[in-house]
Amino acid sequence: MDKTSDNQESGSDYRKGVKFLIDNEPDMKKLPSEFALPLLRNPLSAVHAEIPVIDLSGLHGPVQRRVSTIRDINSACADWGFFRIINHGIRTSLMVEMLKVVEEFFDLSWEQKMKYASDNVMSPIRYGTSLNTSMKHSLHWRDYFRHYGHPCHKTFHLWPDNPPVYRDVAKEYLEQIWQLAMKIASAISEGLGLDHDYIEKSLGEGFQVQAANYYPPCPEPEKTLGLAGHSDHGGLTILMQNHDVDGLQIKHNETWTAVQHVPGTFLVNIGDYLEILSNGMYKSVEHRAVVNAQKKRISVAVGHGPELTAVIAPASQLLDKNSDIQYRPIAYQDYIRLQQSSTIRGKSPLQAIKINNM
């Protein structure tokens, strides 16, 4: 019997979400034991560092500036796997609208949200809490709502019709984020020495998934996490969050580093697909979410990868007779299932398909 079943029998059904828990016990002073994680150190004590900032307007400038911007993106991917983008072309009002409808969704009653609950990690729309898997694990201090995006026409009818404007706002947002991701992918392709449209063509029809996360205030934030350290399964993830609270940390040089939020910007990170495609030239980066005692944090992460039936493998153009293939081919949908079903976070799913060349 898993921990969810145990909780149901004891009268605490955590499947309803952490927000439900806090809403019904607003004066909670002690973290429920199910959420206490075996942390080596206080996650709130992470160091601060400045990640690279990329001005995307440089991609539309004179040749020399464009080349310099592509070089900067390549360096950020190779050295950090994470960078901030400014002058990205997404209007601020749309970002605000998207965060608003996401917050309104999480403010719905638990009965309305539970209509989207599922134990299937491949479900095209899914509400849940803690980690993505339904397997037994220590609980994490977050609720999430995920659904597929581009190509939007395939799943648009499954998206919530409450809040009333959710579908229209999300569709506009996800379509524009897809175009932004392809612009960045083009620069990355050139940075790798590939044709400018190599990554976009490798995606085929493409697969976009939005993951909205809700992290309520936590009574003992030093004892838990909103989301444990992990890498993303896709190629590029584009993230925004509400403006008044930080919570993202990335692992850089084996040290957890806190990333400050800057309103109006996006954070972009490399996922496992690009590590595989680049044959390890780029590394997907582990990141995690911490929580705090005062404020809720809402983030909207949009991942971009190839169509689900695609077989992912290193790009042949990046291999020569002296190159060892670092990763065995695998169908993308099988890799997602492997990654999303795991209770072990970090980069263990990627290690599972890595070829030992020693």
Side-chain angles (χ1 to χ4, degrees), residues 127-274:
Y127 167 75
T129 190
S130 193
L131 302 183
N132 297 324
T133 179
S134 60
M135 297 174 63
K136 182 177 179 180
H137 64 278
S138 296
L139 299 179
H140 289 61
W141 199 259
R142 75 144 183 177
D143 298 336
Y144 66 85
F145 179 57
R146 301 162 57 89
H147 63 74
Y148 293 179
H150 176 90
C152 294
H153 68 274
K154 289 192 170 184
T155 57
F156 180 81
H157 63 287
L158 300 175
W159 301 358
D161 53 10
N162 190 19
V165 298
Y166 182 92
R167 289 182 179 180
D168 291 337
V169 172
K171 183 173 185 291
E172 182 180 2
Y173 182 76
L174 291 174
E175 287 177 342
Q176 291 197 24
I177 292 294
W178 177 267
Q179 293 303 317
L180 175 60
M182 293 308 99
K183 181 191 300 184
I184 299 169
S186 177
I188 289 175
S189 292
E190 292 190 51
L192 287 169
L194 301 168
D195 292 340
H196 72 92
D197 58 354
Y198 183 91
I199 292 176
E200 183 171 3
K201 285 184 176 179
S202 78
L203 302 181
E205 186 178 54
F207 175 70
Q208 183 189 51
V209 60
Q210 172 188 286
N213 302 294
Y214 188 100
Y215 307 100
C218 178
E220 295 180 289
E222 71 281 0
K223 295 182 178 180
T224 191
L225 292 168
L227 187 57
H230 66 285
S231 58
D232 295 337
H233 55 72
L236 287 172
T237 300
I238 299 178
L239 173 80
M240 71 166 174
Q241 66 164 70
N242 56 332
H243 68 276
D244 57 349
V245 58
D246 294 333
L248 176 68
Q249 296 182 355
I250 65 175
K251 184 178 277 190
H252 181 61
N253 293 332
E254 298 304 312
T255 300
W256 284 111
T257 301
V259 178
Q260 184 178 14
H261 175 63
V262 177
T265 70
F266 288 106
L267 293 170
V268 180
N269 69 271
I270 297 300
D272 294 348
Y273 175 64
L274 273 183

Side-chain angles (χ1 to χ4, degrees), residues 70 74 77-78 185-195 198-199 274-275 277-282 315 317-318:
I70 291 173
N74 179 63
C77 291
S186 177
I188 289 175
S189 292
E190 292 190 51
L192 287 169
L194 301 168
D195 292 340
Y198 183 91
I199 292 176
L274 273 183
E275 177 168 336
L277 182 142
S278 70
N279 200 38
M281 292 174 62
Y282 292 163
Q317 292 90 327
L318 299 179

Side-chain angles (χ1 to χ4, degrees), residues 294-311:
Q294 292 81 34
K295 297 180 179 180
K296 66 187 173 191
R297 175 172 176 257
I298 299 172
S299 68
V300 179
V302 185
H304 303 83
E307 56 192 49
L308 291 174
T309 56
V311 175

Side-chain angles (χ1 to χ4, degrees), residues 100-118:
K100 184 174 183 291
V101 295
V102 163
E103 182 170 8
E104 288 173 350
F105 174 84
F106 283 114
D107 283 341
L108 296 174
S109 68
W110 70 266
E111 293 94 342
Q112 291 174 292
K113 290 180 289 191
M114 287 295 287
K115 292 190 302 183
Y116 304 102
S118 172

Side-chain angles (χ1 to χ4, degrees), residues 56-67 69:
L56 286 191
S57 66
L59 295 176
H60 306 288
V63 173
Q64 187 173 355
R65 187 180 175 210
R66 183 174 182 278
V67 170
T69 303

Side-chain angles (χ1 to χ4, degrees), residues 291-358:
V291 291
N292 71 90
Q294 292 81 34
K295 297 180 179 180
K296 66 187 173 191
R297 175 172 176 257
I298 299 172
S299 68
V300 179
V302 185
H304 303 83
E307 56 192 49
L308 291 174
T309 56
V311 175
I312 58 177
S316 59
Q317 292 90 327
L318 299 179
L319 304 174
D320 57 36
K321 62 182 180 181
N322 297 317
S323 299
D324 291 321
I325 298 178
Q326 299 292 321
Y327 308 91
R328 63 177 175 85
I330 185 173
Y332 187 51
Q333 59 190 350
D334 292 339
Y335 185 73
I336 294 177
R337 191 175 287 110
L338 170 70
Q339 195 246 26
Q340 294 286 292
S341 300
S342 176
T343 60
I344 302 174
R345 308 307 283 169
K347 296 181 66 171
S348 56
L350 190 62
Q351 292 301 315
I353 67 165
K354 192 166 187 178
I355 297 172
N356 185 355
N357 291 302
M358 299 299 290

